[in-house]
Amino acid sequence: MKHLLHHHPSPHRKVDMLHGPLSGKILLFAIPLIASGILQQSFNAVDVAVIGRYSSSHAIAAVGSNGPIISILVNLFLGIAVGANVVIATYLGQKHFEAVRRSVSTVMVVAVVSGFILLGLGTTLARPILEAMSAPPEVIGLATRYLRIYFCGMPFMMVYNFGSAIMRSVGDTQKPFYALLVATLCNLVLDLLFVAVFDMGVDGVAWATVISNGLNAAIMVWFLLREEEPVTLDISRWRISAPDLRKMLQIGVPAGMQGMVFSISNIFIQAAINKFGAEAIAGSATALTYETYCYYIVAAFSQATIAFTGQNYGAGLASRCRRVVAVCMAYSIVICGVANILIVWQAHACLSIFTSDPEVIHYAVLRFHTVLLYQALASTYEVSGSYMRGLGYSFTPMILTIFGTCILRLGWVWLFPRIDNSFTMLLNIYPVTWVVTGTVVIGAALYVQHRVFGKKPLQPDES
C-alpha cells in the first residue's frame, strides 16, 4: 500500500495549508494559478490574434464574442468542481483519507459525464443562443461553426478542470500549470499551421483548441495516475459515492448557478454591444481578453481562499481561516489593481497585438477606461464569496451575486438607452455593480464567519 499523503508530503510541489505563516504560502499557491489562468485565456487570445492577423474583423467577432455563450453552458459544471475542491480539502483537514479516495473517484466520473453533456448542449444550442443575442448576419454563421467545433473538446476540458480541483485541494497548483503550458504551446503551433498555412480560418482555430484540450486532459490524467495516496487516480475504483456527490453539489451547484446567471447577464450586455456593429463587437472582445487575463488574478486568490479555508475549517482552526480571507483579499485587490493600471497605461501597445483597425481599437480603449481600470473591485465579492464556500455556505453568495451581477445589470441594460444610448454608458454597468455587490457580499461573509466561529479567540497553534 502506498504511503499516506500526510506522511510523505512533497514540499517542492504541495503547500502545507495548516501550519506556518500564510502570506508566503498563499502567494506560492496562487502564482501557478494566475499563470494557469493566463495560459487558459491564451487559448482564446491566440485564436483571436491569429484570426486578426490572417482574416477579417468579422472573423475576430465570430471567435471573440462567444465567451458568454461558452461560460453559460460550462459554468454549472465548473461550479461543481469548486464543490469538489471544498469537499476534498475539508476531508484532508480532518485527515479522513478514505473519504478523500471516495471523493476523487466521484469527481472523475462526474468530469467525464459532464463533458459529454456539454458536448451535446453546445453543438445543439450554439445557433439559437447566437440568434437570441442579436448576432449580426455577417458574423452568426462563422460564430456558430466555431462554437460547434469548440464544444467537441468539452470532455477534455472537464477532465482537466476537475483534475485541477483535486490537485488544488492538496496544495499542488504547479502540475496543472505545466499541463496547460504544453497545451497552450500546442494551440499556438496548430493555430498558425491551420490558419496561416492551410487557410482554415475560424474552423482552424477551433480545431486547434479541441486538439490542445485533448493533450491538456491527457497530461492531467497522467499526473493523477502517479499522485500519492489518497488522491491517486485509480480507474479500477471509479464509482459515484452518493453522500460525497451530494456534498459537492450542495456547494458546487449554487457556485455554478451563480456563474451561469453571471453569464446570462453578460449575454444581454453582449446583445446590447452587438447593436453597435461588428467593430464594437471586435473591440469589446479584444479588450475583454485583457479583462479576462486580470480576472484570473482575482480567481487565483479566490481559489486559494477556498482551498486554505476548506482545510483549516476541517482542522478547526478558526482564526487561521479569518487570516486566510484577509490575506487573499489584500493580494487580489493590489495585484489585480496594478495589472489593470499597467494595461490601461499601455493600451495601444497591448491592443496592437490583436488588431490594427482604428475603429476596433477605439472601442477597445473605451472599454479599457470604463471597465478594466476598475476591475480590482471585483475582488470584494469574489474572495468574500469564496470564503463562505470554504466554510460550506454556497447559497448565500450565490443569491447576493445574482442580485448584483444579473438583476442590477439587466435593469441597467433596459434603462441605459433611455438615458444615454452610448457605448460608454452601457459599460458603466460593470464598476457600479462591482461596488454594490462587493459591499453586500463582504457584509454577508462577516455574518457567516460570526455564525460559524462566534468570537473564538486566536489560539497559539493557529498563528
Side-chain angles (χ1 to χ4, degrees):
M1 180 178 173
K2 293 183 181 179
H3 294 296
L4 291 180
L5 179 67
H6 68 300
H7 288 167
H8 291 275
S10 302
H12 63 288
R13 290 193 290 105
K14 297 183 176 69
V15 176
D16 179 1
M17 304 182 193
L18 300 177
H19 308 95
L22 283 166
S23 298
K25 291 175 182 289
I26 287 172
L27 198 59
L28 184 65
F29 182 94
I31 286 173
L33 281 177
I34 295 169
S36 295
I38 290 170
L39 288 176
Q40 204 156 27
Q41 174 58 18
S42 293
F43 269 63
N44 185 255
V46 167
D47 290 352
V48 173
V50 172
I51 282 290
R53 287 296 172 189
Y54 296 98
S55 194
S56 65
S57 62
H58 291 166
I60 298 176
V63 173
S65 64
N66 283 317
I69 300 174
I70 294 166
S71 294
I72 191 174
L73 294 173
V74 169
N75 273 338
L76 175 61
F77 298 98
L78 294 185
I80 297 170
V82 169
N85 188 353
V86 173
V87 169
I88 296 172
T90 303
Y91 282 147
L92 285 167
Q94 296 168 344
K95 300 191 184 302
H96 192 345
F97 296 112
E98 186 54 41
V100 173
R101 293 186 190 93
R102 290 197 318 262
S103 298
V104 168
S105 67
T106 300
V107 165
M108 295 313 294
V109 173
V110 171
V112 174
V113 171
S114 62
F116 282 100
I117 291 172
L118 283 167
L119 171 59
L121 288 175
T123 52
T124 304
L125 298 178
R127 187 166 186 106
I129 295 176
L130 285 165
E131 289 172 347
M133 288 173 63
S134 307
E138 65 271 22
V139 171
I140 194 167
L142 289 172
T144 301
R145 273 168 39 202
Y146 177 81
L147 276 176
R148 285 178 174 162
I149 298 170
Y150 182 94
F151 272 90
C152 291
M154 276 300 129
F156 304 133
M157 185 181 289
M158 290 299 103
V159 167
Y160 171 78
N161 280 290
F162 278 83
S164 296
I166 295 170
M167 302 291 250
R168 286 195 302 271
S169 67
V170 298
D172 187 349
T173 53
Q174 292 185 26
K175 284 183 178 176
F177 167 72
Y178 298 148
L180 261 179
L181 179 60
V182 174
T184 303
L185 292 173
C186 174
N187 188 54
L188 173 61
V189 172
L190 291 178
D191 269 352
L192 292 170
L193 179 66
F194 291 164
V195 178
V197 178
F198 296 140
D199 196 25
M200 292 173 65
V202 168
D203 290 13
V205 295
W207 280 119
T209 300
V210 171
I211 295 167
S212 301
N213 276 327
L215 177 62
N216 197 15
I219 296 170
M220 178 57 67
V221 169
W222 188 85
F223 281 144
L224 286 168
L225 288 170
R226 285 155 180 79
E227 262 302 311
E228 296 172 307
E229 288 285 358
V231 295
T232 306
L233 184 60
D234 185 348
I235 297 175
S236 67
R237 65 187 182 209
W238 274 24
R239 59 186 59 85
I240 294 284
S241 166
D244 296 319
L245 178 60
R246 193 178 307 113
K247 289 179 183 178
M248 292 175 197
L249 295 178
Q250 285 172 347
I251 297 169
V253 169
M257 291 296 293
Q258 174 184 315
M260 286 181 69
V261 173
F262 183 84
S263 299
I264 290 170
S265 69
N266 283 341
I267 281 180
F268 280 95
I269 297 169
Q270 185 65 49
I273 290 171
N274 290 349
K275 295 174 183 176
F276 289 92
E279 285 74 20
I281 297 171
S284 181
T286 305
L288 185 60
T289 298
Y290 286 98
E291 288 171 37
T292 308
Y293 278 132
C294 293
Y295 173 76
Y296 279 113
I297 298 170
V298 179
F301 289 107
S302 298
Q303 292 290 349
T305 304
I306 289 172
F308 276 77
T309 302
Q311 278 208 25
N312 283 281
Y313 177 52
L317 303 176
S319 39
R320 194 169 173 87
C321 290
R322 295 187 184 105
R323 277 192 50 74
V324 164
V325 67
V327 171
C328 288
M329 182 74 77
Y331 272 139
S332 183
I333 290 173
V334 171
I335 297 175
C336 182
V338 169
N340 295 157
I341 291 167
L342 288 175
I343 293 168
V344 173
W345 176 46
Q346 293 294 323
H348 287 275
C350 291
L351 294 170
S352 66
I353 296 170
F354 296 98
T355 182
S356 57
D357 187 321
E359 273 297 296
V360 173
I361 290 174
H362 166 72
Y363 281 106
V365 168
L366 286 178
R367 180 154 184 148
F368 271 7
H369 285 275
T370 311
V371 181
L372 181 66
L373 193 58
Y374 306 99
Q375 190 185 26
L377 291 170
S379 306
T380 54
Y381 70 84
E382 291 284 4
V383 174
S384 300
S386 295
Y387 181 49
M388 285 187 270
R389 290 189 187 95
L391 297 174
Y393 285 73
S394 196
F395 189 77
T396 302
M398 177 195 76
I399 292 296
L400 295 177
T401 307
I402 284 175
F403 168 75
T405 60
C406 184
I407 296 173
L408 286 182
R409 289 181 181 181
L410 292 180
W412 190 283
V413 168
W414 175 82
L415 185 63
F416 96 92
R418 293 160 174 77
I419 299 173
D420 178 0
N421 191 16
S422 68
F423 189 71
T424 303
M425 176 59 76
L426 170 63
L427 295 180
N428 280 329
I429 194 171
Y430 289 101
V432 170
T433 54
W434 286 334
V435 170
V436 173
T437 309
T439 302
V440 296
V441 176
I442 287 174
L446 291 172
Y447 171 78
V448 166
Q449 176 182 267
H450 180 78
R451 183 172 177 177
V452 172
F453 297 128
K455 296 182 178 180
K456 183 179 178 182
L458 178 68
Q459 297 178 8
D461 63 339
E462 295 184 28
S463 59

